[in-house]
Amino acid sequence: MKILLTFAPLLLSTLVASKSFLFASNQQTLLDDDLSVPGDNPLKFCNDPADYILTIENVDLDPNPPEKGKDLQIKAKGNFTQKIEQGAYIQLSVKYGLITLISTTADLCEQMKEVDETCPLDGAKEFTKDVTLPKEIPPGKYSVLADVFTNDDEEITCLKAAVQFK
């Protein structure tokens, strides 16, 4: 559970940065099928972000990559191209190697309260979130997938990341 609490804020904050979660201008482009999220981070879009409701301008993690036992600062900036109402949700999956540690659905509007935002979400958003990563994170590769949807099941954004802890 502590690992969920470690990765959920990281990805949710990133999503929040990505929708709040991460906001950006419509001038984002992909080069050579590069799905990397702009900024200093290990995040990748699941698909071409051109059709996502949340346009992510940038997400910066400090330190990048995250280190166990250290504070992680997440700065994100983006733009919601349509209003996100109550009922929006996040499907979150965290894996340790091939083992699924977490597979859950969370209320997006509830998670946004962690960065002092409330629904409805609309327009440009920017936030900074500090998360303390526990020292007890077992070494290994962790994969995170966060797929975010409106209350009408339209995709807001989808992000994935892989982090190696030593």
Side-chain angles (χ1 to χ4, degrees):
M1 234 15 217
K2 199 150 196 158
I3 291 175
L4 167 62
L5 297 176
T6 297
F7 286 106
L10 168 62
L11 201 52
L12 293 176
S13 296
T14 302
L15 287 178
V16 170
S18 131
K19 355 178 42 167
S20 80
F21 247 146
L22 307 176
F23 319 83
S25 70
N26 289 333
Q27 298 181 18
Q28 191 173 20
T29 59
L30 294 177
L31 301 175
D32 300 321
D33 295 324
D34 182 13
L35 295 176
S36 296
V37 171
D40 187 16
N41 65 73
L43 298 170
K44 298 217 178 264
F45 294 106
C46 302
N47 300 296
D48 183 344
D51 295 328
Y52 289 155
I53 293 170
L54 175 63
T55 304
I56 298 171
E57 186 174 316
N58 71 296
V59 177
D60 292 322
L61 302 183
D62 184 23
N64 181 33
E67 299 174 23
K68 61 183 177 179
K70 305 250 176 151
D71 287 343
L72 173 66
Q73 185 176 72
I74 304 162
K75 291 183 180 180
K77 187 175 182 182
N79 184 58
F80 289 96
T81 59
Q82 72 184 57
K83 190 180 288 187
I84 306 301
E85 303 283 352
Q86 291 286 337
Y89 61 97
I90 303 162
Q91 291 179 330
L92 179 67
S93 173
V94 179
K95 291 184 177 185
Y96 176 71
L98 299 175
I99 301 167
T100 299
L101 299 175
I102 299 163
S103 182
T104 190
T105 300
D107 183 296
L108 174 62
C109 295
E110 285 298 313
Q111 298 303 317
M112 293 304 294
K113 292 177 183 177
E114 293 293 320
V115 291
D116 300 324
E117 291 285 342
T118 58
C119 287
L121 300 168
D122 195 17
K125 300 287 180 187
E126 189 170 347
F127 81 93
T128 299
K129 175 77 176 171
D130 292 317
V131 178
T132 300
L133 300 180
K135 295 185 276 190
E136 299 82 9
I137 297 173
K141 182 178 179 181
Y142 294 81
S143 302
V144 182
L145 173 68
D147 210 355
V148 186
F149 297 92
T150 67
N151 57 353
D152 294 325
D153 297 323
E154 288 183 72
E155 195 168 40
I156 297 170
T157 193
C158 181
L159 299 173
K160 55 187 175 180
V163 177
Q164 179 80 36
F165 287 102
K166 298 180 182 185

